[in-house]
Amino acid sequence: MDDVDRLSAEIAACRICRDAPLGRPLPHEPRPIFRISPTARICIASQAPGLRAHASGVPFSDPSGKRLRAWMGVSEAVFYDAAKIAITPMGFCFPGYDAQGGDLPPRKECAITWRGRLFTTLPYFKLTLLVGRHAQAWHLGKAAPGVSPQGALGYDEEIHRPGLGRVIGLPHPSWRNNGWLKRNPWFEERVTPMLRMLIDDILSA
């Protein structure tokens, strides 16, 4: 078993948010959901699985995933091919709902326990998509310039980080950001075509 397989098995067996939580324990049985491999050169650093993903065991198995794949210009087959694309949420398990019916933030235990080891074990990526502000705050710092509450970064300047390659921040593809997307047409007019070209170049190499 290589290092990535060993790490994958350990994450899949993780129950820390239930057995040794920081605060209230996870209100349901943990089900870590992620995709990693030794060969992926694109990384999706996302937020946390939603309820549908928790039920299916498949990340982004909802309308948010359909929108994200459209932004990326990839098919389901490519998106779910861990040999090509890694999916590394900030929280591996569905965190539950808040009082307003929205998803709670990713569990803090996940990033504290796994994030550093994850990105020292995985190979260097050529492109990392930071989906939502939680992933951006972790990887770029809370004071990262241009980060909006929706998670979209400015695009006047390229961002690179060791191990992550080129970094692009995306708003979360949830329907909750429909209003922001309508008010900011530049995102789908300028950013998504550029994103598709980058991804196509990497996958075709």
Side-chain angles (χ1 to χ4, degrees):
M1 180 182 291
D2 64 25
D3 291 343
V4 174
D5 288 340
R6 186 176 298 107
L7 176 60
S8 181
E10 290 182 31
I11 294 172
C14 181
R15 298 294 183 269
I16 191 170
C17 55
R18 183 194 64 187
D19 298 339
L22 297 174
R24 292 184 178 181
L26 193 72
H28 48 262
E29 178 65 18
R31 188 178 192 181
I33 298 171
F34 60 99
R35 300 287 175 97
I36 59 175
S37 79
T39 59
R41 291 298 177 266
I42 297 172
C43 178
I44 299 171
S46 52
Q47 185 159 289
L51 182 59
R52 292 191 188 185
H54 176 73
S56 68
V58 179
F60 287 103
S61 55
D62 55 18
S64 293
K66 185 176 181 179
R67 174 178 274 172
L68 178 58
R69 289 188 287 275
W71 287 348
M72 296 173 66
V74 297
S75 65
E76 283 193 30
V78 171
F79 185 82
Y80 290 118
D81 185 349
K84 297 177 179 176
I85 297 176
I87 301 176
T88 62
M90 293 300 301
F92 292 120
C93 295
F94 170 55
Y97 291 128
D98 62 23
Q100 288 72 45
D103 288 5
L104 287 166
R107 299 286 304 203
K108 294 180 179 180
E109 299 93 332
C110 273
I112 293 170
T113 305
W114 299 112
R115 208 80 187 157
R117 185 175 166 198
L118 188 70
F119 284 90
T120 56
T121 302
L122 293 176
Y124 282 5
F125 296 105
K126 292 185 177 180
L127 174 66
T128 299
L129 306 180
L130 303 180
V131 181
R133 59 191 177 86
H134 292 286
Q136 290 165 16
W138 176 271
H139 288 283
L140 300 179
K142 292 183 179 180
V147 179
S148 75
Q150 289 75 19
L153 294 178
Y155 294 92
D156 295 333
E157 180 179 351
E158 289 192 13
I159 299 174
H160 295 262
R161 289 292 186 274
L164 302 182
R166 182 168 180 177
V167 175
I168 295 178
L170 302 178
H172 196 281
S174 166
W175 64 269
R176 294 178 183 275
N177 278 336
N178 285 352
W180 184 89
L181 290 167
K182 288 180 180 178
R183 293 191 301 273
N184 294 273
W186 58 267
F187 177 78
E188 291 187 318
E189 290 170 358
R190 291 170 41 210
V191 177
T192 56
M194 174 269 293
L195 178 61
R196 291 172 193 144
M197 286 191 293
L198 280 174
I199 290 172
D200 186 62
D201 287 345
I202 293 169
L203 294 177
S204 299

